Amino acid sequence: MLKLGLAAVAALVIAAPAMADDWDFVLINNSGKAIKTVEIAPTGTTTWQPNKVDPDFKKADATVKPGARMTVHFDKGAGCRYDVKLTFTDSGTGTWTNINVCDNSYITVKYAASGATAFTAN
């Protein structure tokens, strides 16, 4: 009986798909525009995944106003460097690249004269 139980557990472990790690960071919106959507992709790819919003916390007005914060949830792959793409309520977009999500819990996005810039903090 014990052998059968161990075999069943082993079969379940082997058959289970590889699960991605759930990660998150706090996005601070200093872009000067209200954010409608957030997407994230490993740097150098176009594999954009939307922010994973918990349905229990989804609000009717999910925009992130200038100066506000939001938590971004995503499935982390093998690396630490990600690009963040924002779509604003005016339908404009901005992309912040090469952000280290492993070492930074807070990411502040803003526009400077040189373009999109991000500041990170632990």
Side-chain angles (χ1 to χ4, degrees), residues 20-25 40-45 49 74-83 98-104:
D21 289 335
D22 284 339
W23 279 70
D24 59 39
F25 59 86
I40 188 164
T43 294
T45 72
Q49 60 176 298
F74 66 101
D75 292 329
K76 184 182 166 293
C80 288
R81 298 287 178 170
Y82 281 79
D83 298 343
N98 203 28
I99 297 171
N100 185 334
V101 297
C102 294
D103 295 338
N104 299 288

Side-chain angles (χ1 to χ4, degrees), residues 17-113:
M19 302 299 273
D21 289 335
D22 284 339
W23 279 70
D24 59 39
F25 59 86
V26 175
L27 179 76
I28 302 165
N29 181 10
N30 282 350
S31 68
K33 297 180 174 190
I35 299 170
K36 184 170 48 173
T37 62
V38 177
E39 296 175 275
I40 188 164
T43 294
T45 72
T46 56
T47 312
W48 295 105
Q49 60 176 298
N51 179 24
K52 294 168 55 176
V53 179
D54 186 336
D56 293 337
F57 296 105
K58 203 169 201 174
K59 300 184 293 185
D61 179 16
T63 61
V64 181
K65 307 223 180 313
R69 299 171 178 225
M70 73 174 295
T71 302
V72 176
H73 303 281
F74 66 101
D75 292 329
K76 184 182 166 293
C80 288
R81 298 287 178 170
Y82 281 79
D83 298 343
V84 175
K85 181 168 66 171
L86 306 178
T87 302
F88 301 102
T89 55
D90 66 1
S91 298
T93 61
T95 303
W96 286 259
T97 60
N98 203 28
I99 297 171
N100 185 334
V101 297
C102 294
D103 295 338
N104 299 288
S105 304
Y106 295 89
I107 298 170
T108 302
V109 294
K110 68 183 284 184
Y111 282 111

